[in-house]
Amino acid sequence: MNDALVALVAGAGDEPGIVIISGTGSIAYGRNARMEAARAGGWGHIIGDEGSGYWIGREALTAVVRAGDGRGPATSLTEGVLEHFEIDDLPRLKVVVYDRELPRKAVSALGPIVQRAAEHRDQVAMTILEQAAEELALSARSVSDRLGLGGDGLAIVLAGGIFPLVPYLGDALASRLIHRMPGCRVQLLDREPAAGAVHLALAEARGELRLPNYV
Amino acid sequence: MNDALVALVAGAGDEPGIVIISGTGSIAYGRNARMEAARAGGWGHIIGDEGSGYWIGREALTAVVRAGDGRGPATSLTEGVLEHFEIDDLPRLKVVVYDRELPRKAVSALGPIVQRAAEHRDQVAMTILEQAAEELALSARSVSDRLGLGGDGLAIVLAGGIFPLVPYLGDALASRLIHRMPGCRVQLLDREPAAGAVHLALAEARGELRLPNYV
């Protein structure tokens, strides 16, 4: 039993479907009616996890220092980031990011800053969230291709801490998914993933639990 | 006295110039005749250092897992990376990258793999190195703009461990620099940066050392 399966079952029950998780990390996981599973992403913060909260925060910081260097366009993210970390100038950012005990958590916490900037039509912030949505949509598409999923009513569940904090991301992702997998039903997971664990545990108690195999 | 000034002096002596360092990290640093200095990049491995050896290695690994997921184009980097780490399949990559004592060093060591793939015209590898060159050229350009540097004979020194290992990067960078700053002289630092430290120490002994101020 893995976290992604638990979240998928919490949202889609026993039906085939795909879950896209974006939180500290990111992954897409799916299961078809033949009990086959596939995943994409989930490679961790160094070499993968595009579209995760950490990735979004890192891209925001990169955009801010690029703007500071004159290597990239100016962005209101700069003001937001300085305020968030309560610092006066950009060079302090290095101290804030690298000297913290939990640098990844500090970076992941920037999602709402990016959301607010995107709401105010900051082009840099919008581009970061559109790219994140594109990456997550690509992951889901790769899973659906391998599992032969598709067609009307396919459940696609969005789970993970970033979606409630950054609604722009969920909207951008949903529109891509609907465009590429016409007829799919995109839903934000509105209950605890634990609901999926309970469902699976009850199936196991009845001797009916079947875990999917990766293809 | 900082590492970048030392490397610049090792290559350009007392003349105005720019040094672009790409090794574990990356930075561009320059000094003009008015003894003003500026820098760009050097923001560390999480939020900056585009074009560094670590950045190149990370982009290579990201490309490999994207190809594995079906999210990105196939690339000969996959074979090169698996061979380099002596592993048989992609999922082992996570173990290799995250469980090492020195994950950043392991990632930085991939430069020659990317070089070899680019030599064989692997499109993904070529794109990574072209992007790295573009980022480093942007850094240099940002420095030259702020310092009012330019004109015939401006010294641009390429220093750092990645250039001898990945000549493709130096070539791609030099052609961008020559295109954007016509008349500049791009040179690979062919001596130890320590030569610059000696030069500066002798100037100090004569009471003639003037350190530039950041603008």
Side-chain angles (χ1 to χ4, degrees):
Chain A
M1 202 183 299
N2 67 59
D3 291 350
L5 173 62
V6 165
L8 176 61
V9 169
D14 294 321
E15 298 301 308
I18 296 171
V19 62
I20 301 172
I21 304 180
S22 173
T24 315
S26 70
I27 192 168
Y29 171 94
R31 190 181 68 170
N32 64 19
R34 294 187 301 277
M35 289 304 250
E36 294 166 334
R39 67 182 159 202
W43 293 96
H45 68 287
I46 298 181
I47 59 176
D49 282 346
E50 292 93 339
S52 69
Y54 175 78
W55 185 92
I56 288 168
R58 200 181 67 194
E59 290 292 310
L61 291 173
T62 297
V64 164
V65 300
R66 287 175 66 87
D69 278 348
R71 288 183 290 140
T75 166
S76 67
L77 286 170
T78 300
E79 197 188 337
V81 164
L82 293 179
E83 266 176 28
H84 174 81
F85 287 126
E86 299 180 346
I87 54 178
D88 292 327
D89 54 15
L90 276 187
R92 291 281 303 170
L93 253 194
K94 281 186 77 166
V95 182
V96 167
V97 172
Y98 296 100
D99 289 0
R100 297 219 167 193
E101 215 171 311
L102 296 168
R104 278 164 61 195
K105 209 163 175 180
V107 170
S108 300
L110 295 172
I113 310 287
V114 185
Q115 167 72 27
R116 206 173 54 197
E119 277 169 15
H120 288 85
R121 316 297 296 166
D122 182 274
Q123 202 58 53
V124 172
M126 289 163 69
T127 301
I128 290 171
L129 295 181
E130 296 288 349
Q131 282 179 344
E134 177 65 21
E135 291 293 334
L136 295 174
L138 274 174
S139 296
R141 185 58 194 257
S142 152
V143 166
S144 76
D145 284 351
R146 275 181 281 160
L147 295 177
L149 287 172
D152 271 4
L154 173 68
I156 302 187
V157 179
L158 310 188
I162 200 73
F163 291 113
L165 292 172
V166 188
Y168 189 107
L169 176 66
D171 293 345
L173 175 55
S175 75
R176 280 171 167 76
L177 293 170
I178 290 163
H179 179 72
R180 292 180 192 180
M181 296 185 245
C184 72
R185 281 186 302 114
V186 181
Q187 59 179 104
L188 208 59
L189 186 63
D190 57 0
R191 58 177 76 182
E192 290 297 312
V198 171
H199 185 99
L200 291 165
L202 290 174
E204 186 168 27
R206 289 193 305 270
E208 291 168 5
L209 180 65
R210 288 177 59 208
L211 291 178
N213 296 310
Y214 281 102
V215 292
Chain B
M1 202 182 300
N2 68 58
D3 291 351
L5 173 61
V6 165
L8 176 60
V9 169
D14 294 321
E15 297 301 309
I18 296 171
V19 62
I20 301 171
I21 304 181
S22 173
T24 315
S26 69
I27 193 169
Y29 172 94
R31 191 181 68 168
N32 64 19
R34 294 187 300 278
M35 288 304 249
E36 295 166 334
R39 67 182 160 203
W43 293 96
H45 69 286
I46 298 180
I47 59 176
D49 282 347
E50 293 92 339
S52 70
Y54 175 78
W55 185 92
I56 289 168
R58 199 181 68 194
E59 289 292 309
L61 291 173
T62 297
V64 163
V65 301
R66 287 174 66 88
D69 279 349
R71 288 183 290 141
T75 166
S76 68
L77 286 170
T78 301
E79 197 188 336
V81 164
L82 293 178
E83 265 177 29
H84 174 81
F85 287 125
E86 299 181 344
I87 55 178
D88 291 329
D89 54 16
L90 277 187
R92 292 281 302 170
L93 253 194
K94 282 187 77 166
V95 182
V96 167
V97 172
Y98 296 99
D99 290 0
R100 295 220 167 191
E101 215 171 309
L102 296 168
R104 277 165 62 195
K105 209 163 175 180
V107 171
S108 299
L110 295 172
I113 310 287
V114 185
Q115 167 71 27
R116 206 173 53 196
E119 278 168 15
H120 288 87
R121 316 297 298 168
D122 182 274
Q123 200 59 52
V124 172
M126 289 164 69
T127 300
I128 291 171
L129 296 180
E130 296 287 348
Q131 282 180 344
E134 178 65 21
E135 291 293 335
L136 295 174
L138 275 174
S139 296
R141 186 56 195 257
S142 151
V143 166
S144 75
D145 283 352
R146 275 181 281 159
L147 295 177
L149 287 172
D152 271 3
L154 173 68
I156 303 187
V157 180
L158 309 188
I162 201 72
F163 291 113
L165 292 172
V166 187
Y168 190 107
L169 176 66
D171 293 344
L173 176 53
S175 74
R176 279 170 168 76
L177 293 170
I178 291 163
H179 179 72
R180 291 179 192 181
M181 295 186 245
C184 73
R185 279 185 302 116
V186 182
Q187 58 179 105
L188 208 59
L189 186 62
D190 58 359
R191 58 177 76 181
E192 289 299 312
V198 171
H199 184 98
L200 291 165
L202 291 175
E204 186 168 26
R206 288 193 306 271
E208 291 168 5
L209 180 66
R210 288 178 57 208
L211 292 178
N213 297 311
Y214 281 103
V215 292

